[in-house]
Each structure stands twice: as structure tokens, then as C-alpha cells.
Amino acid sequence: MPVDLTRVRGLSPDVVRALRETAPVVSVVGDLMLDGWWQGTTERMTREAPAPVVEVATRRYVPGGAANTAVNLAALGARVRVAGLVGDDDAGRRLTALLAAHGVDTTGVVRVRGLTTVAKNRVLVDDQVLIRLDDLATEPPPAEALDLLAENASAQSHGADAELVCDYGSGALTGAVLDALVARERSGRPGLVVVDAHDLRPWARLRPDIVTPNAAETAALVPLSVGDAVPSDERVARVTGAADALLDATDAAAVVVTLDHDGTLTLARDPLDVTTASSVSAAEDEADPDAADHPRQEARVRHRTWARRARERQASGAGDSFVAALTVARAAGLPLTTSVDLAQAAADVVVQRFGTSVCSTDDLLIHLDRTGDLLLPADDLARRLDDERAAGRRIVLTNGCFDVLHRGHTTYLTQAKQLGDVLVVALNDDDSTGRLKGPDRPINALADRAGVLSALSCVDYVTSFSTDTPIPLIRRIRPDLYAKGGDYTPQMLEETSAVLEGGGEVRILDYVADHSTTGLVERIRGAGSAP
């Protein structure tokens, strides 16, 4: 049976396969670039200056800027049209050919005689960037080229499921092109408009559905300091406090702020679907069922994702992969919060790689089906957590059966993650789940439960235990915080003494009423037996 993407409430390999089959049409309008990665060796210095001599062995070229976003979209199954400017030079011809090789429709690309195609060539020695050489246009494009680009951009948006604007600040897009896209509104616009721009203020005229500023771009929109030097919790708090100002400045329906290693925050006034892994305000939405009738109500943070820590320092273009995945998922019908989760997964794939990379549906399938990597034995987990502690990170442990994942679970896991830096989820194995819940449980086997949990951005590690309580595991890994949900007190828990012995503390999280696996299973069985 085909997957109904509009009803999806979490990520799985089946969702990614269905996304690929949907194949939405996406129009990309943006600043096209060519990225070069030149690898070489150096063993001596020049006589002319204190500089190394690099003997270049290989030159690799890939689409960059908006062109990288376009090939990411194509790799995720979208049918992509691109409009942008290139020079009538070797770099422009190479870039156009690379786009076509990825299946991107380049009929909207305007080739301009005398214009220099933007190219960024990195020279590397031992996989370390030594220098970057940028070829930039010294003169603005002629007016007739901009008019033709505006015509192409407007024309290719007709019949598209989504339009994605990628403005890297060249100045070529905020004049005639923006005017044409705004004027096109009167005759209808694509079902989704997403803007990824260094300066989002001019694009407020377009009234986009989604904008995706990074930390620096967010700070440029409102007086806000959210740089890397600001602690994670403080960054999140500052962006949260500026939600209304960001929505007003961009006139967007939703603002997805990307904070690199701190993940993302999704801001909106209208209620969103909040039943996925990282939602932070599900109770607010239920308390305000008429919120959609008040578009100027106070903005709230609706969703948060957590980024997987990157191992590769030379990764480039993760933001392009993020916005591409977000756009194709939303265009295909996935709820916004699930789309943001998918986009975070795509960025997590790319930041582990070297150079300007692309995330494909096959990459996401591998990434989401990584149960074997995250369902760790206790000894392996303890070794990894020792490394996490050495890096100054606080370990949070929680446990449960997590048999049929629902909003109560995901709200609770998000709260647990926010207590520290690393969240470990310990699953009752199948036998202990049966002893705890009854002979007809679990519904889902341990490997399947671990697979679902490992796809959540708030979960860092998954392990399992076979005992009736996780006390032996607690003594083995010594968490800094042990989180438990429901109407408990620390004194009621058998685990409390083991946590305290290891120098940790117990935290009781909010009880989410009316969301239990037992109740959900009973409703499903009741529906199945109904005449």
C-alpha cells in the first residue's frame, strides 16, 4: 500500500522511498557557482616568498551555491528546473554540463558573454585546505541578461510544486528577478515558496512559506548575538525570544533557523503538525485550537532538531542539502516538522563527508536504517560515553519499552534531551517487555523499536537491557542525569539509589496525558474488530 505522506508522523526508510516516487517538480532560482577541489602535495617553499609550492595532482569540480542545491534536489528524486546566470567561459560551460549530467533542466540558465562565472577553487594538501582561490564577476550583469533571467525564472515556476530561491548576495536576484516573481503572484504561484538568502529582508515582498536563515543571517535580521561563542542553551533562548521579530522581518509563514552544531529551530504563528520527534509545544497547540484564525498571534517555537556531531572538518554545502531536503519533502506533502527532521538527516549525512557533497535518497535510506550502529552493547556504549564525558558533555539516560511510538514519547524524549548534551535511550528487550506489558507485547520487535528511535534527531545512542529494571546498566554507564516520565517521584523509583551512587541525579519529566501505547493498541484492536 502506498505511503500517505500527508499522514506521516516520523521518519523511516519507507517514507524516503515514497518521497522518491512522488518526484515533485521544483524550480530553483539562484546564484550558480562552480566549486573546485584541487588536491596536491608540498615538500618545499618558494624562493620568492615564504609560501609552500603545491604540486597539484587532481582537480575535481562540482556544482556549488544554488547549483549544489539543485543537484541535491535531483538526488532526492525531484524533477528540477534551474534559472541563473553563468559566464560564456570554461567555468560556465563546465557548470552547465555538470548540472545536465545530474538530470537538472538547464533551459533557464542564461549564459552571458563577458561575465565571469563564480568559481571557488580550494587547494588542499593532506586533505587540509591551504588556500581558496575565488573567481568573481568584476562588473554587474547587463540589464538585458537580468531581464531574461527574470523571464526564465517566472516562466519555469508555472506548473512547479515548489519554488526555491537561493540568494548568495550577488545582487542579481533582488531587482528584476524579484519583481517578476512578485508580479507572478497575481496569476498564481507554486504550491510552496522557500527562500534561502543571505539577506532575507528584500524577499519579504514574496511572502514565502518558509525561510531558512543561519545564525549569521538571523543576527542580521534582528539585533541578536547567536554566534558559535554563545552557549547552546543561550542561543536557543535568544532565537526563541526573537520569534515574532523574525517572522515580521521576513513575512514568512515559518522560519527555520539553522544553528549548525546546535541543530535547528522552527518558528511559526499558525499551528503546525507537532507529532514528530522533536516537537516542543504539543500541549500549546491542543490548548489553542483556534490559533489558525489569528495569524498575528504570538509566535512560538514549534519544533527543534539536534545535529549529529561532524567528524569531517572539510565538509561544505550542508546548508544546501538541508534546504533541498526540506523543500522536496514539503513539496511532496510531508508535514513541516517531519520535513525539517528529514532535512536535518540530510545535513547530518553531508557533514560527515569531505568537500562539496550531495545527499541522495539512497544515502538517507542508509542513514535511517542504521540500527546496527546505534543499538550498542553496554560495554561499547560505556566506552563511547567516556569519550563524550572527556569532551565535557553531560549524559542523560532514559529507558522504556517505546513499543508503538506516539506523541507522548516524542515530547518526553525532547524534554529529556534538553536536560544535557547526549541522550541515551535504553530499551527493554523483547522478553522483559513481555514480562512488563503482557504476553502479547511487544508489538514491534527490539530491532524495529531501536530503528525508529535511532531516526530521531534528539536520540544519540540506543542500547537495550534484559533485566526488569535498568539498574545494572545505570551502574555500568553512570549517567549524569536519569530522566523518567509520568507521575513518579524520585523516592518511588528503584533506580534512584543506583543513579546517586554514580554521582548523578534523577529528573521527573512532564506527564503527557491521554497518550499511552496500551491505549493506542486497544483502540487499534477495537477498530479492527468493528463491523
Side-chain angles (χ1 to χ4, degrees):
M1 180 181 297
V3 176
D4 182 356
L5 293 177
T6 63
R7 300 178 65 85
V8 166
R9 298 298 180 263
L11 296 182
S12 71
D14 285 342
V15 169
V16 176
R17 294 186 188 97
L19 186 68
R20 176 164 51 191
E21 293 171 2
T22 303
V25 176
V26 181
S27 168
V28 177
V29 181
D31 292 323
L32 306 179
M33 306 175 191
L34 181 68
D35 278 2
W37 294 83
W38 300 357
Q39 185 77 50
T41 59
T42 182
E43 297 179 353
R44 57 193 176 91
M45 305 292 285
T46 68
R47 295 180 178 179
E48 297 90 349
V53 175
V54 178
E55 297 181 10
V56 178
T58 61
R59 291 177 173 85
R60 183 172 71 94
Y61 295 96
V62 293
N68 184 42
T69 304
V71 298
N72 270 273
L73 285 162
L76 292 168
R79 291 169 286 168
V80 186
R81 310 163 180 171
V82 66
L85 299 177
V86 298
D88 188 15
D89 53 14
D90 288 343
R93 286 185 284 274
R94 187 190 300 272
L95 178 55
T96 305
L98 285 169
L99 284 168
H102 282 87
V104 175
D105 182 348
T106 61
T107 56
V109 175
V110 178
R111 184 175 294 172
V112 184
R113 186 178 299 276
L115 183 71
T116 299
T117 301
V118 175
K120 299 180 178 180
N121 297 309
R122 299 155 179 87
V123 180
L124 301 96
V125 174
D126 295 330
D127 291 335
Q128 188 71 37
V129 174
L130 187 65
I131 191 171
R132 195 179 85 180
L133 309 173
D134 288 2
D135 289 330
L136 304 175
T138 57
E139 299 291 334
E144 56 269 23
L146 295 176
D147 289 341
L148 181 55
L149 176 60
E151 180 181 330
N152 290 355
S154 181
Q156 75 176 22
S157 69
H158 289 292
D161 298 296
E163 178 178 74
L164 173 54
V165 176
C166 302
D167 179 6
Y168 286 78
S170 70
L173 304 178
T174 52
V177 173
L178 175 56
D179 290 342
L181 296 181
V182 171
R184 180 228 35 215
E185 298 292 286
R186 302 187 186 99
S187 59
R189 67 189 238 162
L192 176 73
V193 175
V194 181
V195 177
D196 180 28
H198 283 354
D199 183 1
L200 284 164
R201 287 169 294 189
W203 295 100
R205 293 174 55 202
L206 200 57
R207 301 185 65 211
D209 296 291
I210 305 171
V211 296
T212 58
N214 60 25
E217 292 156 0
T218 298
L221 286 168
V222 295
L224 198 64
S225 176
V226 287
D228 286 346
V230 179
S232 175
D233 289 347
E234 182 62 24
R235 292 178 98 191
V236 171
R238 291 179 185 181
V239 172
T240 301
D244 283 307
L246 289 168
L247 286 157
D248 287 341
T250 60
D251 204 14
V255 179
V256 181
V257 179
T258 60
L259 297 172
D260 43 79
H261 57 272
D262 288 324
T264 71
L265 292 171
T266 300
L267 318 172
R269 290 191 181 89
D270 291 343
L272 304 176
D273 183 288
V274 291
T275 57
T276 54
S278 313
S279 305
V280 295
S281 59
E284 290 182 306
D285 281 343
E286 292 207 341
D288 188 14
D290 298 322
D293 296 330
H294 304 283
R296 303 309 294 175
Q297 67 176 336
E298 181 183 359
R300 293 192 290 265
V301 175
R302 299 291 184 173
H303 192 65
R304 183 176 177 188
T305 67
W306 281 263
R308 304 283 182 192
R309 281 178 292 278
R311 295 187 299 267
E312 180 54 70
R313 290 184 298 168
Q314 302 301 334
S316 179
D320 301 330
S321 299
F322 180 93
V323 73
L326 174 61
T327 301
V328 74
R330 196 73 182 104
L334 277 174
L336 178 56
T337 50
T338 312
S339 299
V340 175
D341 284 342
L342 185 80
Q344 182 66 69
D348 289 343
V349 167
V350 169
V351 296
Q352 305 299 331
R353 295 176 172 172
F354 182 87
T356 306
S357 299
V358 172
C359 179
S360 68
T361 49
D362 287 341
D363 293 325
L364 285 174
L365 288 171
I366 294 169
H367 182 75
L368 295 176
D369 192 20
R370 63 188 189 278
T371 302
D373 294 333
L374 286 187
L375 186 56
L376 296 173
D379 289 344
D380 289 349
L381 175 63
R383 283 191 289 270
R384 296 200 189 190
L385 295 183
D386 285 343
D387 293 338
E388 300 282 8
R389 284 195 186 88
R393 303 185 183 105
R394 284 165 59 81
I395 310 302
V396 182
L397 170 68
T398 191
N399 68 279
C401 299
F402 297 98
D403 191 3
V404 179
L405 204 69
H406 53 69
R407 190 168 76 189
H409 290 144
T410 56
T411 301
Y412 161 73
L413 290 171
T414 295
Q415 293 173 352
K417 172 72 173 187
Q418 292 172 328
L419 295 175
D421 304 302
V422 176
L423 177 60
V424 179
V425 179
L427 287 170
N428 293 79
D429 71 4
D430 292 344
D431 288 341
S432 65
T433 298
R435 293 195 301 271
L436 184 65
K437 298 293 186 180
D440 57 348
R441 299 283 294 278
I443 302 296
N444 294 299
L446 175 62
D448 294 328
R449 290 182 280 137
V452 171
L453 285 170
S454 69
L456 308 183
S457 68
C458 57
V459 176
D460 295 289
Y461 299 105
V462 180
T463 191
S464 65
F465 61 98
S466 59
T467 51
D468 289 340
T469 74
I471 289 174
L473 178 65
I474 290 171
R475 288 179 171 145
R476 181 70 184 85
I477 67 174
R478 299 174 293 105
D480 298 292
L481 298 118
Y482 176 65
K484 199 69 177 174
D487 48 1
Y488 298 100
T489 66
Q491 294 73 25
M492 295 169 61
L493 296 174
E494 295 180 61
E495 298 93 331
T496 296
S497 60
V499 174
L500 297 178
E501 287 170 13
E505 59 179 298
V506 177
R507 295 285 185 89
I508 304 300
L509 302 181
D510 295 343
Y511 176 68
V512 181
D514 299 326
H515 289 92
S516 75
T517 300
T518 300
L520 180 59
V521 170
E522 289 175 353
R523 289 197 297 274
I524 292 171
R525 287 175 173 161
S529 62

